[in-house]
Amino acid sequence: MSLVRLNIKGISYSQTQNGAYALILNEVDGDRKLPIVIGAFEAQSIAIALEKEIRPPRPLTHDLFKNFADRFDIVVKQVIIHKLVDGVFYSSLICERDKIEEIIDARTSDAIALALRFQAPIFTYKNILDKAGIYLKVNPKKEEEDEQDSVLMDDLIADELELNKPRENYKTKTLEELHNLLDEAVANEDYEKAAHIRDEISKR
């Protein structure tokens, strides 16, 4: 079975499933998206790994695993989403130590959180993408393509994308106030809020 490489398109919050998020993976050499429902903690961990500028004051579980692996010269070479049963995706970590390769079973959300930290590629098998992937027709007009993409994602999780909507109006804050709020959000481990504040700082 041939492997298909994926990368992360984004994370969407679902109000229909309390505390659940949809991780959207994108086919690298195609237009299909692979949606995977994950928990809030894993979504937060993945979001932090994607947001390079946000550093938690203490290592999260996946950061601890990365630190542990680095200390003992263990490398995660790649992640393979290898099975889909009753809507549940199963994944494996392909690890290497002293030129010996090991395969470790993992939840897909954990595997992807670790893949980001090890900068390891993510793959799935073509038959899984054929079964669970959402195919988007290529549209010559970029704006229409993006709109079609967004509508399909919304239909998938029966919700609007909310991660990029700030909960507060930060436009009225000074840069100094924003930096103070950012420090406070990171200290309180509210990384979603910290990401919104960082976005506002970047705009300035």
Side-chain angles (χ1 to χ4, degrees), residues 62-81:
H62 298 112
D63 298 318
L64 176 61
F65 184 99
K66 174 67 164 61
N67 294 339
F68 180 90
D70 288 346
R71 185 65 60 88
F72 291 95
D73 296 321
I74 300 168
V75 177
V76 174
K77 295 178 65 179
Q78 62 183 15
V79 164
I80 299 177
I81 303 170

Side-chain angles (χ1 to χ4, degrees), residues 13-33:
Y13 178 66
S14 174
Q15 289 181 332
T16 59
Q17 298 188 51
N18 189 29
Y21 289 77
L23 172 66
I24 311 300
L25 300 176
N26 187 70
E27 182 182 16
V28 170
D29 296 319
D31 299 303
R32 288 177 293 184
K33 308 292 185 290

Side-chain angles (χ1 to χ4, degrees), residues 8 36 49 77 79 83 91 94-95 122 125 154 160 172 185:
I8 297 172
I36 300 173
K77 295 178 65 179
V79 164
K83 187 167 67 173
S91 295
I94 312 301
C95 305
I122 303 165
Y125 289 110
D154 288 350
E160 294 179 356
T172 59

Side-chain angles (χ1 to χ4, degrees), residues 57-193:
R58 302 290 296 153
L60 301 179
T61 305
H62 298 112
D63 298 318
L64 176 61
F65 184 99
K66 174 67 164 61
N67 294 339
F68 180 90
D70 288 346
R71 185 65 60 88
F72 291 95
D73 296 321
I74 300 168
V75 177
V76 174
K77 295 178 65 179
Q78 62 183 15
V79 164
I80 299 177
I81 303 170
H82 63 84
K83 187 167 67 173
L84 173 60
V85 178
D86 297 330
V88 177
F89 292 90
Y90 293 78
S91 295
S92 295
L93 300 173
I94 312 301
C95 305
E96 186 180 83
R97 181 172 184 262
D98 295 333
K99 297 183 179 180
I100 298 173
E101 195 170 273
E102 298 284 352
I103 300 174
I104 300 175
D105 181 44
R107 295 188 309 165
T108 298
S109 53
D110 290 328
I112 290 171
L114 291 172
L116 282 168
R117 286 161 170 82
F118 283 90
Q119 297 182 335
I122 303 165
F123 296 94
T124 191
Y125 289 110
K126 184 178 181 296
N127 65 322
I128 292 178
L129 198 56
D130 290 340
K131 183 178 179 181
I134 298 172
Y135 182 75
L136 301 176
K137 293 182 180 179
V138 176
N139 194 313
K141 295 183 179 180
K142 185 69 170 64
E143 290 183 4
E144 292 181 14
E145 182 182 341
D146 289 343
E147 184 178 350
Q148 180 188 32
D149 190 344
S150 178
V151 168
L152 282 171
M153 289 304 118
D154 288 350
D155 289 345
L156 173 70
I157 61 171
D159 188 26
E160 294 179 356
L161 304 183
E162 292 194 0
L163 278 184
N164 295 323
K165 295 180 181 177
R167 294 180 179 179
E168 300 178 27
N169 182 11
Y170 299 115
K171 293 181 181 179
T172 59
K173 306 289 186 183
T174 66
L175 269 176
E176 184 179 354
E177 288 173 330
L178 288 172
H179 282 291
N180 289 336
L181 285 170
L182 179 61
D183 292 341
E184 182 182 332
V186 171
N188 292 331
E189 299 187 4
D190 188 347
Y191 301 114
E192 183 180 341
K193 181 178 179 180

